[in-house]
Amino acid sequence: MLALWNQCSKDHEEIAPLSIASLSPAQGPAGTMVTITGIGFSTTTTANTVTFNGVPATITLATGNQLIATVPASATTGVVKISTGGKEVSGPVFTVTQPSSLTVTGINPASGPTGIDVTLTGTGFSTTAAQNKVKFNGATAVVKSATATQLVVMVPANATTGTVSVQVADKTVTGSMFTVLSPTAPTLSSVAPTSGKVGATVTLSGTGFSATSSQNIVKFNGTTATVTSAAATSLTVTVPPGATSGDVTVTVNGKTPAGIHFDVTATLTVISYDPASGNAGTPVIITGSGFDSNPSVNVVKFNGVAAQVTEATATTLKVTVPNGATTGPITVGIGADVAEGPVFTVTPLSTLTVTVSTVPLGSATLNLPRGLAIDVSGNLLVADQANNRIMKLTPSGLLVFAGSGSRSLTGPVDGPFATAQFNSPSGISVDENTGDVYVADTQNNVIRKIAAGGPVLMVQTWAGNTNGQGDISDGHGAGPFGVGAGFFYPTGIVKSKNSATWFITDYWSHIIRKMDASANVTTFAGLALNSGSDDGKGKDARFFNPGGITIDENDNVYIGDCVNGSIRKIDAAGNVTTLAKNLGQIYGLVWDGKGSLYATDYTKHKIYKVDSSGTVTTIAGTGTAGYHDGGASTAQFNFPFGLAMDSDGNLYVGDEHNNLIRKITFN
């Protein structure tokens, strides 16, 4: 019985039907690759014979139910026949057409994994990528670029081995066969060199790379690099901007082998100077990157004149302006690598003598003096911060101008000068027309007015919350929270020389406020509670803890932008620009009426002169906190804060931590 079953099984194999179900495409010119679907085909290519109306065709692929054959050159319209194993069957008619202007003459590469780019060459393609429909054995591909004779396409994820077809409008042509391979993981064996700067050329060696540059994804510690050339065993790349030290990795066809460590070294750059101007002999700190910590390795030149480097780190160099230097850029060189920085202004050696002295106070003392102002009689008014008073310095000595000395903790206390209370006053402004004094009562978050002309000086809360609470609201006058205008740590105040208008630096709000004679308060520049350094108009500008403030005769307002270390300029229309930067915290500013500003640098313990172009010159202070009277190069300050100028052009400095008033004279 078993023998009979085996014999029947063999007879069943021998009589397996041979049939043709379909042709795809069913028409085309000679050279068209046609997929013949049916049953009973031999899986051995040479065991099948295919004819187009009697003309034998070349078979390129054979399975039990599919053959791919090329329409022979001499074929004419007629039936397609297949013979195999002694059987023959006739199929549908194939219509031989005239050659189309749409052709596919080549495919490169002709094999590979899904996801790679393949270039098709031919004729009649649309130059609009989307108008070319390309399929890999029926799976639609993405056309990435197109010309009339070339298409670059990506092998789709669901592609299988078979012919590639292109359709443009109503014309379709079938090209060569593409063999889909299983992707293999690349290997990364070496990186040369193993360190370098951004922009350096690096060679990666390994296996399994794509010869198409764009199909290799190279990253330096996560930052993608540009592959400039590619072969199966090597890649040439450029260290990308933003790269940091870490592993270099290569991804090909979604597979990423273990990376190799690469050290990104700092690029040699020159960013800024402190100061940005000075005469021969001036010490200068150069800030940048990529410097050598050995001072002698760094070659510094001031507009071509070599300077001596006395101290060096990777980001700073300390040098001295050399004799013979002229205005121009500073360069830093290390070996063959040279970086050029901004222009450094070399100023002539001044014949002006600066003298710093201490102003006698008499028997009274100060405790952290801050803002200063000259009153209408020429006396110096001092915001005695920690004593919570306003003092007046006359030729006879230091007197109490307003304030009991007690700190008001629940809001401002108004009344006669002797009983009124302040809370850490900072800024002072004098109305030159009336003699009234306006005080930025900082920790009470209000503006106080001390009225002149009466039998007793009276202190009044002019604008702000009378409970002392910080607020950012625009509004009118003083009152409980939510009723009047609000401030949040007002620090500096100055009056226009042309109108009854005051400008106030609102420190913690990061804005500049404007107040008229009726105590209407508005925001002049900046956006409340939004810090930054952006220039712009009005609310588009940004400040970061504005402190110092002054104004010129054209109503240009100048701001000491403390955390930004800069001096900002606001014109009468509210346009904000940066006049000078790379400074410390500027709390004291005064306009000299001759085109220049003077400024106190609270954290660098210096006094500056700033011209209209923003050039900063140190006129006094060594840069080290201390106390010493004398010339410009030897005098020392200890956190200088307020600044005022008398009618003779002498400067007065509120030397906060020395608890003194210093005087700067020019001879």
Side-chain angles (χ1 to χ4, degrees):
M1 183 70 173
L2 178 60
L4 180 60
W5 167 254
N6 287 339
Q7 181 63 44
C8 291
S9 175
K10 291 178 181 177
D11 292 344
H12 178 73
E13 288 178 358
E14 290 173 357
I15 63 174
L18 176 66
S19 66
I20 301 174
S22 65
L23 306 176
S24 177
Q27 63 178 8
T32 300
M33 298 188 76
V34 179
T35 300
I36 306 170
T37 303
I39 57 175
F41 305 154
S42 173
T43 57
T44 302
T45 303
T46 56
N48 301 281
T49 301
V50 176
T51 61
F52 284 75
N53 202 19
V55 180
T58 300
I59 301 170
T60 56
L61 178 69
T63 68
N65 57 15
Q66 192 177 81
L67 301 176
I68 296 179
T70 303
V71 179
S74 57
T76 57
T77 298
V79 296
V80 174
K81 292 183 179 180
I82 296 176
S83 62
T84 182
K87 302 181 181 68
E88 184 178 83
V89 65
S90 295
V93 170
F94 183 88
T95 303
V96 178
T97 62
Q98 293 298 314
S100 170
S101 60
L102 178 63
T103 65
V104 177
T105 58
I107 181 168
N108 183 35
S111 63
T114 61
I116 69 168
D117 288 346
V118 172
T119 301
L120 305 179
T121 54
T123 60
F125 302 150
S126 172
T127 56
T128 302
Q131 293 179 359
N132 303 279
K133 300 188 184 305
V134 178
K135 293 184 178 181
F136 283 69
N137 201 23
T140 302
V142 174
V143 180
K144 300 174 73 173
S145 66
T147 69
T149 58
Q150 187 178 86
L151 301 177
V152 176
V153 300
M154 179 184 291
V155 180
N158 58 342
T160 54
T161 298
T163 57
V164 178
S165 65
V166 178
Q167 178 183 347
V168 180
D170 59 349
K171 296 178 181 178
T172 302
V173 64
T174 302
S176 304
M177 186 170 68
F178 182 86
T179 303
V180 178
L181 304 176
S182 298
T184 57
T187 64
L188 179 61
S189 58
S190 68
V191 173
T194 57
S195 65
K197 300 177 181 179
V198 169
T201 298
V202 179
T203 300
L204 281 57
S205 298
T207 62
F209 303 151
S210 172
T212 303
S213 295
S214 62
Q215 292 172 2
N216 304 280
I217 301 172
V218 178
K219 294 184 178 181
F220 283 71
N221 201 23
T223 302
T224 303
T226 299
V227 180
T228 55
S229 66
T233 58
S234 69
L235 301 174
T236 302
V237 300
T238 302
V239 181
T244 55
S245 296
D247 282 353
V248 176
T249 59
V250 181
T251 302
V252 183
N253 297 319
K255 298 183 181 294
T256 307
I260 295 177
H261 187 81
F262 183 90
D263 287 317
V264 178
T265 55
T267 301
L268 184 62
T269 63
V270 179
I271 299 172
S272 63
Y273 321 127
D274 181 23
S277 64
N279 49 41
T282 300
V284 177
I285 301 295
I286 301 173
T287 301
S289 64
F291 302 154
D292 196 290
S293 57
N294 181 350
S296 63
V297 174
N298 305 278
V299 179
V300 176
K301 294 182 179 181
F302 282 69
N303 203 22
V305 179
Q308 182 180 6
V309 182
T310 56
E311 297 178 17
T313 70
T315 57
T316 61
L317 300 175
K318 185 174 182 180
V319 300
T320 301
V321 180
N323 291 325
T326 56
T327 295
I330 295 177
T331 58
V332 176
I334 298 178
D337 199 1
V338 179
E340 182 176 289
V343 168
F344 181 90
T345 303
V346 177
T347 57
L349 291 170
S350 176
T351 58
L352 186 68
T353 301
V354 174
T355 303
V356 179
S357 60
T358 300
V359 179
L361 302 179
S363 59
T365 59
L366 297 169
N367 193 354
L368 303 182
R370 288 205 152 187
L372 306 179
I374 304 294
D375 70 10
V376 292
S377 299
N379 300 306
L380 182 68
L381 299 178
V382 182
D384 193 4
Q385 182 209 4
N387 283 329
N388 300 293
R389 299 181 299 194
I390 307 302
M391 305 296 286
K392 180 166 69 172
L393 183 58
T394 71
S396 302
L398 191 65
L399 307 172
V400 174
F401 182 68
S404 67
S406 296
R407 183 180 181 187
S408 55
L409 297 176
T410 58
V413 176
D414 292 341
F417 77 98
T419 59
Q421 294 181 7
F422 296 86
N423 190 352
S424 299
S426 291
I428 305 177
S429 174
V430 176
D431 186 336
E432 69 279 5
N433 296 316
T434 64
D436 295 339
V437 176
Y438 293 81
V439 177
D441 194 358
T442 302
Q443 292 194 34
N444 271 328
N445 296 300
V446 295
I447 303 301
R448 312 291 290 279
K449 177 180 179 181
I450 306 173
V456 176
L457 289 177
M458 298 296 293
V459 180
Q460 174 187 0
T461 300
W462 192 245
N465 293 322
T466 53
N467 61 0
Q469 185 173 350
D471 185 14
I472 61 172
S473 301
D474 290 342
H476 171 72
F481 184 81
V483 175
F487 296 92
F488 195 6
Y489 215 79
T491 301
I493 182 169
V494 68
K495 180 185 176 295
S496 166
K497 298 179 180 0
N498 302 308
S499 65
T501 305
W502 287 261
F503 297 91
I504 300 126
T505 51
D506 211 1
Y507 188 83
W508 286 121
S509 294
H510 312 298
I511 55 179
I512 311 304
R513 314 298 290 280
K514 183 177 181 180
M515 182 178 72
D516 65 17
S518 299
N520 293 303
V521 178
T522 56
T523 299
F524 183 54
L527 184 62
L529 303 181
N530 283 263
S531 61
S533 60
D534 294 348
D535 289 339
K537 184 172 182 179
K539 67 180 181 180
D540 292 332
R542 296 290 182 271
F543 302 88
F544 203 154
N545 296 142
I549 189 167
T550 192
I551 195 166
D552 67 20
E553 59 275 1
N554 295 315
D555 280 344
N556 294 304
V557 180
Y558 300 88
I559 304 296
D561 198 356
C562 292
V563 174
N564 285 324
S566 61
I567 296 175
R568 315 290 291 280
K569 179 180 178 180
I570 313 175
D571 66 19
N575 297 298
V576 180
T577 55
T578 300
L579 179 64
K581 54 186 178 179
N582 300 318
L583 309 174
Q585 296 185 18
I586 306 298
Y587 285 104
L589 282 171
V590 67
W591 176 257
D592 69 355
K594 300 177 182 178
S596 295
L597 291 168
Y598 289 89
T600 58
D601 194 325
Y602 185 75
T603 47
K604 295 188 177 182
H605 315 289
K606 294 180 179 181
I607 313 301
Y608 301 134
K609 181 178 182 178
V610 185
D611 67 18
S612 58
S613 68
T615 299
V616 178
T617 305
T618 300
I619 63 165
T622 63
T624 301
Y627 170 61
H628 185 76
D629 286 341
S633 61
T634 60
Q636 288 183 308
F637 301 87
N638 196 353
F639 295 96
F641 193 99
L643 192 63
M645 177 177 281
D646 66 18
S647 58
D648 294 325
N650 300 307
L651 290 175
Y652 295 85
V653 179
D655 195 357
E656 188 182 83
H657 284 211
N658 280 326
N659 295 311
L660 296 170
I661 302 300
R662 314 290 291 282
K663 183 178 182 179
I664 302 176
T665 57
F666 304 92
N667 298 310

